[in-house]
Amino acid sequence: MNVTGEMLASTARHQGVRLKRGDTVLIRTGWGKYFATEPKTYAGGSSAGVGVDGAKFLVKSGARVVGDDTLTFEVRPPIANPGTPQFEVFPVHMLLIADNGINIIENYNLEGIAAAKEYEFVLVVPPLKIRGGTGSALRSFALVP
């Protein structure tokens, strides 16, 4: 499943959420269920994730951090324009991180918060103290009303 901008906009409307500049946006694709039960499927070459259109929506919405319940955040295989001179690998990562400074958090377990129908909350993401690091494991948590 390629998560598009229209899918994200429709979901926000359905959940009564208005995205604001600076928000963190977490996307539950449903793929997280494979993490423990079917790890080969979870880590395989094809999975749900955000496509370039969805990434453009997140940029336009002003997201500062995005995350989801998949291994690579973006739809796999992570390729745009195959067989052309404009061929790109990990185009969503390039658009979000390199072009717009939007951090990506992957491998979230979003089942509990989705089941509770908590769509807006404070997300606390304390960083590990790793000098010069570009990524690490996190122990984040949601503060819900």
Side-chain angles (χ1 to χ4, degrees), residues 19-144:
L19 298 177
K20 298 174 285 303
R21 186 156 304 285
D23 278 353
T24 294
V25 179
L26 301 180
I27 301 162
R28 180 182 166 270
T29 67
W31 202 257
K33 66 185 173 193
Y34 299 121
F35 182 83
T37 61
E38 297 179 44
K40 286 184 180 180
T41 299
Y42 184 78
S46 298
S47 80
V50 175
V52 172
D53 181 69
K56 288 178 180 178
F57 172 85
L58 293 166
V59 169
K60 185 177 177 184
S61 297
R64 292 298 303 140
V65 177
V66 297
D68 76 355
D69 59 350
T70 71
L71 184 64
T72 60
F73 185 76
E74 69 186 273
V75 67
R76 288 196 313 260
I79 298 169
N81 308 314
T84 71
Q86 294 83 28
F87 175 78
E88 293 178 63
V89 177
F90 286 101
V92 169
H93 279 68
M94 296 303 292
L95 178 63
L96 294 177
I97 299 170
D99 296 345
N100 291 282
I102 298 172
N103 291 310
I104 297 173
I105 304 173
E106 299 154 333
N107 299 302
Y108 258 116
N109 180 348
L110 299 173
E111 298 307 307
I113 201 125
K117 296 186 178 182
E118 294 290 348
Y119 305 126
E120 292 187 279
F121 47 86
V122 173
L123 182 67
V124 180
V125 186
L128 294 179
K129 294 180 180 182
I130 301 175
R131 180 169 289 176
T134 60
S136 72
L138 300 172
R139 190 172 298 274
S140 60
F141 56 92
L143 296 175
V144 295

